[in-house]
Amino acid sequence: MTPTTLMSGEDFRGLGAPDLVYVREIRAADVMDQVAATTTRGLSIDPEAILYAVHGADGERLAVMMDRESAFAAALAHALEPVSVH
């Protein structure tokens, strides 16, 4: 059976896990064009490098970190419950 209703970000936030975040691998190139040039001044990252994004339950990207451990540590430091997504 295929669901006929799309869930909004607000719907996902309301599922009862507001502190749950997920961490997943992303390519640097996938986010580099979304970051202001002034933010990355002096920072050199290979566009093919693997970074780790922290997302809220609604899919909003909250942070991007250089390694998985930092992504989990950042989530925990903000009283969030991180889980891995493959």
Side-chain angles (χ1 to χ4, degrees):
M1 177 165 29
T2 303
T4 58
T5 304
L6 296 176
M7 293 181 68
S8 69
E10 189 63 33
D11 293 332
F12 280 105
R13 279 191 293 274
L15 287 176
D19 298 332
L20 187 67
V21 294
Y22 63 93
V23 176
R24 71 178 183 98
E25 290 184 0
I26 59 171
R27 286 184 34 242
D30 294 338
V31 295
M32 291 174 82
D33 62 339
Q34 300 170 8
V35 178
T38 55
T39 304
T40 58
R41 186 175 298 137
L43 183 63
S44 177
I45 299 176
D46 177 357
E48 295 303 315
I50 298 297
L51 304 176
Y52 292 82
V54 179
H55 294 266
D58 61 355
E60 178 184 5
R61 186 171 49 233
L62 305 173
V64 177
M65 309 302 277
M66 297 295 288
D67 58 69
R68 184 178 181 278
E69 292 77 20
S70 295
F72 270 75
L76 292 170
H78 288 90
L80 300 171
E81 184 67 35
V83 296
S84 290
V85 175
H86 297 67

